[in-house]
């Protein structure tokens, strides 16, 4: 069993990934931590509680960061044109959900849960990296206690999605992402190189919903506006970014990777760009030296990934 803490900003594709984690038989979802990104942390936390209630998820929800690790960074507007005003495709969601939150802030929940399960926890982070960076700053020793970290974020050999060179989760808090990439733990980076070519069509999702229970029908409903948004890039379908990171946990053989140290550009016109120095390539001394070698996904068997998501949602 993989013990997973899911750090998330739900978020439409976050919701699909949550249902995947909840339903995959080899995954023990032991916590959900929320972060700002697709909406404010108040909204993403309410959405996490809403999905927990609707989908009968046992894992506790701990509320996380609402500002970048560097508090002086200027915040942009929420991407309501992607995930809706309410972060869940503007389906009907109650103002508040009457379920208790874990009393700890997300980063402390992460620290304490990792310490209670040394060597066993996989952190799957699919929003800004702020909670993980906070956890590392407060308790750097957790780097040696986490099993591995799988993130959705970044882009290496393809363009970004919020600037020509940057992806949203990294661009939203580049300093935090650089802390996470350079810490002495194993990070697997599942970025746009693989997620932007892994799409689920409207018809495919509708078919899954027709065969599935009310949880899958809810997922189908909340995905409709997101699919509309992707008209510019996908033929009547959506990129399933965050689910790709979850699939990596249970099926890494569906990905091809390169290894190397990863840095994040902080500031300037390339703010949020992720850059890997592939192991074995020789350069003059530089800012990538002496850092841990991370795993960067460069290829994916998209059809198999999409089918695995379908089968998991349907409990096949
Ligand atoms: C990432 O940004 C968010 O909009 C999605 O939920 C995903 O985590 C894709 O760039
Ligand atoms: Ca996300």
């Amino acid at each position: 069993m993989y013990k997973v803490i899911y750090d998330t900003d739900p978020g439409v594709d976050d919701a699909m990934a949550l249902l995947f984690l909840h339903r995959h038989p080899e995954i023990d979802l032991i916590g959900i931590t929320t972060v700002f990104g697709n909406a404010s942390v108040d909204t993403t936390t309410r959405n996490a509680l809403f999905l927990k209630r609707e989908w009968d998820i046992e894992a506790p929800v701990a509320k996380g960061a609402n500002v970048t690790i560097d508090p002086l960074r200027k915040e942009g507007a929420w991407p309501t044109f992607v995930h809706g005003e309410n972060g869940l495709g503007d389906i009907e969601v109650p103002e508040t959900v009457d379920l208790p939150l874990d009393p700890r802030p997300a980063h402390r929940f992460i620290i304490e849960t990792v310490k209670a399960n040394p060597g066993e926890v996989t952190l799957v982070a699919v929003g800004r990296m702020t909670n993980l960076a906070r956890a590392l700053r407060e308790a750097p020793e957790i780097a040696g206690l986490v099993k591995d970290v799988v993130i959705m974020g970044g882009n290496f050999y393809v363009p970004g999605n919020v600037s020509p060179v940057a992806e949203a989760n990294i661009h939203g808090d580049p300093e935090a992402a650089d802390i996470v990439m350079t810490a002495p733990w194993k990070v697997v980076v599942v970025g746009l190189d693989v997620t932007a070519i892994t799409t689920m069509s409207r018809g495919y999702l509708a078919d899954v919903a027709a065969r599935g229970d009310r949880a899958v029908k809810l997922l189908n409903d909340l995905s409709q506006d997101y699919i509309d948004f992707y008209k510019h890039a996908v033929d009547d379908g959506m990129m399933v970014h965050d689910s790709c990171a979850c699939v990596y946990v249970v099926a890494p053989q569906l990905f091809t990777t390169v290894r190397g140290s990863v840095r994040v550009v902080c500031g300037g016109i390339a703010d949020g760009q992720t850059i890997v120095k592939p192991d074995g390539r020789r350069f003059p001394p530089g800012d990538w030296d002496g850092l841990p070698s991370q795993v960067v996904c460069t290829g994916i068997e998209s059809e198999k990934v999409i089918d695995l998501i379908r089968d998991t949602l349907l409990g096949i």
Side-chain angles (χ1 to χ4, degrees), residues 9 13-14 38 82-83 126-127 152 161 167-169 192 241-242:
D9 59 338
D13 60 320
D14 303 72
N38 290 329
V82 186
H83 297 270
V126 299
M152 190 281 131
N161 61 2
E167 181 278 331
N169 288 342
L192 295 177
H241 302 287
D242 294 346

Side-chain angles (χ1 to χ4, degrees), residues 38-50:
N38 290 329
S40 73
V41 79
D42 287 341
T43 301
T44 60
T45 305
R46 186 273 316 267
N47 292 349
L49 288 173
F50 171 68

Side-chain angles (χ1 to χ4, degrees), residues 222-238:
L222 66 85
S223 300
Q224 294 307 309
D225 285 9
Y226 183 71
I227 294 172
D228 291 343
F229 160 75
Y230 267 116
K231 270 195 180 119
H232 65 282
V234 182
D235 186 15
D236 207 26
M238 60 182 179

Side-chain angles (χ1 to χ4, degrees), residues 43-120:
T43 301
T44 60
T45 305
R46 186 273 316 267
N47 292 349
L49 288 173
F50 171 68
L51 296 170
K52 172 180 158 77
R53 189 187 75 187
E54 294 301 303
W55 292 345
D56 286 323
I57 297 175
E58 272 177 30
V61 174
K63 183 175 176 179
N66 201 30
V67 289
T68 48
I69 197 99
D70 172 359
L72 297 178
R73 255 195 184 266
K74 283 230 169 63
E75 186 51 61
W78 308 124
T80 53
F81 55 99
V82 186
H83 297 270
E85 291 291 334
N86 69 5
L88 288 179
D90 288 340
I91 60 156
E92 208 171 299
V93 178
E95 270 308 292
T96 55
V97 177
D98 197 16
L99 280 185
L101 275 174
D102 190 277
R104 294 164 286 187
H107 70 284
R108 203 150 301 134
F109 176 90
I110 291 170
I111 292 168
E112 290 179 11
T113 309
V114 165
K115 286 186 173 176
N117 299 271
E120 291 187 10

Side-chain angles (χ1 to χ4, degrees), residues 176-198:
D178 196 51
I179 290 171
V180 169
M181 303 286 194
T182 57
W185 56 10
K186 177 183 166 198
V187 182
V188 178
V189 190
V190 182
L192 295 177
D193 302 69
V194 297
T195 69
I197 54 171
T198 306

